[in-house]
């Protein structure tokens, strides 16, 4: 693990069923970017094997190009259970290192026929001088440091000015519109506005590098192409002629910049799609329920582009009846989100058709089983609320879900649900509803296992009735304050970020 790296590409992955295929896809992208197709099948198999050993917790993959070899490192903060296994494919060497509570499982693959090629490349790069090697390394680090597509053009321009040119214009293009000037930078900021006007007269070639003339500047136009797609162009300007060495450097930077731009665009598109999907799975509005004060907290785990498997809902089912639900689908990502969407829309449809809470869960169970291989287990707490003079009448069913708790104004906490089978497992299960009464000031708390199973070392938050003790401290608080108190307690229980989604639903009779 001590070999120096000529290029580094890294990505972080959330745990779950998508971790292994995502690691394989990332490896394929890296090998393609580095033109390392001879080792692509072995590298993909190696990534699958190592990812399978760590896929139960967040992990990072770091691929390093070391000239005559490529090296992969699987980094994980907490070492997984069980003894690590060596690769089944032929590798140059492999090993495991530890630093505090972090573990790195690494392996190294030799690039076939790389000795002569690498020697020639290093001889060529060395002839440019050590400062160019550092320049390219810095450029790679800067470009790899952002996944914001709007930031990449600015980084490109500030990399090359003033090292390669006096000014730089970055043009971007997509499939929906013409090429546009995305960023312009000049070593003399006072000249940017004038340069922008002159550039409107410049025709930039689409697919090949070209030398152009613009007023007193020699212009080098280099296309930005990644994965066979044109993403735009980088135009460099300087008063004197571009040397062969500077042209080669500009083309090298353009290749790296185009890949960074494409990665950022793909990330942004995926994040936007996931956010849109997530919004579609959340309640469209917060209803006004007579005699009810309620508060919710919803936090999907993982990066910003993660779609959670937890969900909640509160909606009107009839003239004097409202329904609520809080659930947890096994797994995360789009597969779990598909079941989340099925559950929420089925609950609303059947409730408005007049089915009771027990009947709704029975029919939802059948709908999930009919999904076949796409089905996911689902825990769910579903109930209806009817305002009465003395408070609220609540009928509810807990299908494998963490127990719901009732808090009295005196600080007494009791369990109000009977555990029943989770959904998506048994076809012939029959559910029965529990009926409870919430007097004025009583609070009903429902959470997902992102709260109850929050872990710190070998201890869970709900060990020894931990959640009930937290709720007892919330007597006299509003529903929103109770939800926030529980959320904060779960966050403070362990120092690291949670790898599980979290949902909290609090209902309080006014």
């Amino acid at each position: 693990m001590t070999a120096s790296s000529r290029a580094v590409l890294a990505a972080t992955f959330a745990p779950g069923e998508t971790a292994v295929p995502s690691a394989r896809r990332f490896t394929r992208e890296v090998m393609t970017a580095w033109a390392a197709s001879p080792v692509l099948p072995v590298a993909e198999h190696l990534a699958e094997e190592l990812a399978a050993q760590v896929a139960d917790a967040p992990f990072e993959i770091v691929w390093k190009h070391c000239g005559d070899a490529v090296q992969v490192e699987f980094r994980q903060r907490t070492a997984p259970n069980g003894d690590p296994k060596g690769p089944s494919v032929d590798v140059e060497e492999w090993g495991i290192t530890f630093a505090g509570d972090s573990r790195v499982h690494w392996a190294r693959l030799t690039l076939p026929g790389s000795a002569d090629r690498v020697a020639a490349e290093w001889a060529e790069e060395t002839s440019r001088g050590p400062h160019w090697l550092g320049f390219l390394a810095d450029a790679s680090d800067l470009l790899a440091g952002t996944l914001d597509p709007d930031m990449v053009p600015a980084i490109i321009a500030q990399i090359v000015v003033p090292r390669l040119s006096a000014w730089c214009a970055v043009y971007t293009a997509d499939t929906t519109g013409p090429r546009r000037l995305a960023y312009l930078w000049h070593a003399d900021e006072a000249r940017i506005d004038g340069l922008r006007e002159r550039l409107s007269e410049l025709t930039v070639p689409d697919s090949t590098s070209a030398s152009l003339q613009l007023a007193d500047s020699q212009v080098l136009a280099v296309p930005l192409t990644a994965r066979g797609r044109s993403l735009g162009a980088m135009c460099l300007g300087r008063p004197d002629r571009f040397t062969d060495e500077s042209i080669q450097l500009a083309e090298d930077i353009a290749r790296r910049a185009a890949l960074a731009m494409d990665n950022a665009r793909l990330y942004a598109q995926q994040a936007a799609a996931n956010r849109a999907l997530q919004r579609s799975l959340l309640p469209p509005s917060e209803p006004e329920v007579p005699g009810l004060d309620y508060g919710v907290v919803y936090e999907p785990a993982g990066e910003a582009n993660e779609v959670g498997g937890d969900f909640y809902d509160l909606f009107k089912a009839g003239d004097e009846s409202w329904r609520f639900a809080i659930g947890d689908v096994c797994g995360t990502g789009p597969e779990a989100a598909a079941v989340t969407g099925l559950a929420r829309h089925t609950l609303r449809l059947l409730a408005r058709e007049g089915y009771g809470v027990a009947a709704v869960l029975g029919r939802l169970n059948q709908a999930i089983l009919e999904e076949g291989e796409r089905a996911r287990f689902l825990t769910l707490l579903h109930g209806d609320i009817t305002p009465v003079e003395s408070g609220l009448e609540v009928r509810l069913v807990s299908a494998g879900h963490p127990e719901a708790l009732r808090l009295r104004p005196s600080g007494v906490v009791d369990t109000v649900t009977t555990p029943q089978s989770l959904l998506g497992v048994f076809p012939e299960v029959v559910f029965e509803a529990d009926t409870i009464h919430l007097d004025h000031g009583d609070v009903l708390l429902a959470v997902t296992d992102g709260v109850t199973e929050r872990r710190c070392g070998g201890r869970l938050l709900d060990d020894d009735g931990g959640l009930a003790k937290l709720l007892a401290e919330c007597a006299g608080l509003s529903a929103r304050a109770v939800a926030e108190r529980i959320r904060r307690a779960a966050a403070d229980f362990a120092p690291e970020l949670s790898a599980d989604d979290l949902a909290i639903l609090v209902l309080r009779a006014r």
Side-chain angles (χ1 to χ4, degrees), residues 119-203:
E121 289 179 357
W122 274 103
E124 179 183 353
E125 291 191 353
T126 304
S127 67
R128 301 175 181 172
H131 57 289
W132 289 125
L133 299 180
F135 175 50
L136 289 173
D138 291 343
S140 296
D141 288 344
L142 287 169
L143 290 167
T146 182
L147 287 173
D148 183 348
D150 294 330
M151 284 294 297
V152 176
I155 293 174
I156 295 171
Q158 294 180 35
I159 285 173
V160 299
V161 177
R163 297 292 297 276
L164 288 181
S165 62
W167 58 266
C168 174
V170 180
Y171 294 84
T172 59
D174 54 40
T175 58
T176 60
R179 179 181 293 179
R180 65 181 183 87
L181 179 60
Y183 196 85
L184 177 62
W185 186 248
H186 198 297
D188 182 357
E189 295 183 41
R191 302 179 62 180
I192 291 179
D193 291 340
L195 176 60
R196 190 185 305 275
E197 293 181 3
R198 292 195 298 273
L199 284 173
S200 63
E201 305 170 1
L202 186 69
T203 301

Side-chain angles (χ1 to χ4, degrees), residues 442-463:
D442 285 355
V443 171
L444 180 68
L445 170 67
V447 301
T448 58
D449 61 11
V451 175
T452 56
E453 297 182 6
R454 185 79 165 106
R455 181 178 294 275
C456 182
R459 183 174 175 78
L460 301 180
L461 182 146
D462 199 32
D463 285 348

Side-chain angles (χ1 to χ4, degrees), residues 19-242:
V20 173
S22 296
R24 182 186 181 99
R25 284 195 300 272
F26 173 65
T27 296
R28 186 184 306 122
E29 295 286 352
V30 172
M31 295 301 109
T32 302
W34 287 345
S37 56
V39 298
L40 175 57
V42 177
E44 286 184 313
H45 189 78
L46 176 63
E48 279 188 334
E49 284 191 341
L50 299 187
Q53 298 184 43
V54 297
D56 58 344
F59 62 93
E60 181 183 25
I61 301 179
V62 180
W63 275 102
K64 298 181 178 181
H65 195 308
C66 305
D68 59 347
V70 291
Q71 181 168 295
V72 65
E73 299 176 5
F74 278 70
R75 301 175 179 177
Q76 197 164 38
R77 184 170 215 178
T78 302
N81 297 324
D83 295 329
K85 299 178 181 178
S88 64
V89 295
D90 291 332
V91 298
E92 180 181 336
E93 56 180 333
W94 71 277
I96 297 173
T97 59
F98 293 87
D101 61 350
S102 299
R103 192 190 81 169
V104 179
H105 194 168
W106 61 274
R108 185 178 173 90
L109 296 171
T110 302
L111 292 173
S114 61
D116 295 339
R117 173 176 53 80
V118 172
E121 289 179 357
W122 274 103
E124 179 183 353
E125 291 191 353
T126 304
S127 67
R128 301 175 181 172
H131 57 289
W132 289 125
L133 299 180
F135 175 50
L136 289 173
D138 291 343
S140 296
D141 288 344
L142 287 169
L143 290 167
T146 182
L147 287 173
D148 183 348
D150 294 330
M151 284 294 297
V152 176
I155 293 174
I156 295 171
Q158 294 180 35
I159 285 173
V160 299
V161 177
R163 297 292 297 276
L164 288 181
S165 62
W167 58 266
C168 174
V170 180
Y171 294 84
T172 59
D174 54 40
T175 58
T176 60
R179 179 181 293 179
R180 65 181 183 87
L181 179 60
Y183 196 85
L184 177 62
W185 186 248
H186 198 297
D188 182 357
E189 295 183 41
R191 302 179 62 180
I192 291 179
D193 291 340
L195 176 60
R196 190 185 305 275
E197 293 181 3
R198 292 195 298 273
L199 284 173
S200 63
E201 305 170 1
L202 186 69
T203 301
V204 181
D206 289 330
S207 57
T208 59
S209 299
S211 295
L212 309 171
Q213 184 73 34
L214 181 68
D216 58 348
S217 293
Q218 299 291 325
V219 180
L220 174 63
V222 184
L224 297 173
T225 304
R227 301 180 178 96
R229 294 187 297 124
S230 175
L231 304 180
M234 175 180 73
C235 291
L236 311 181
R238 57 194 288 177
D240 56 340
R241 184 181 66 86
F242 284 89

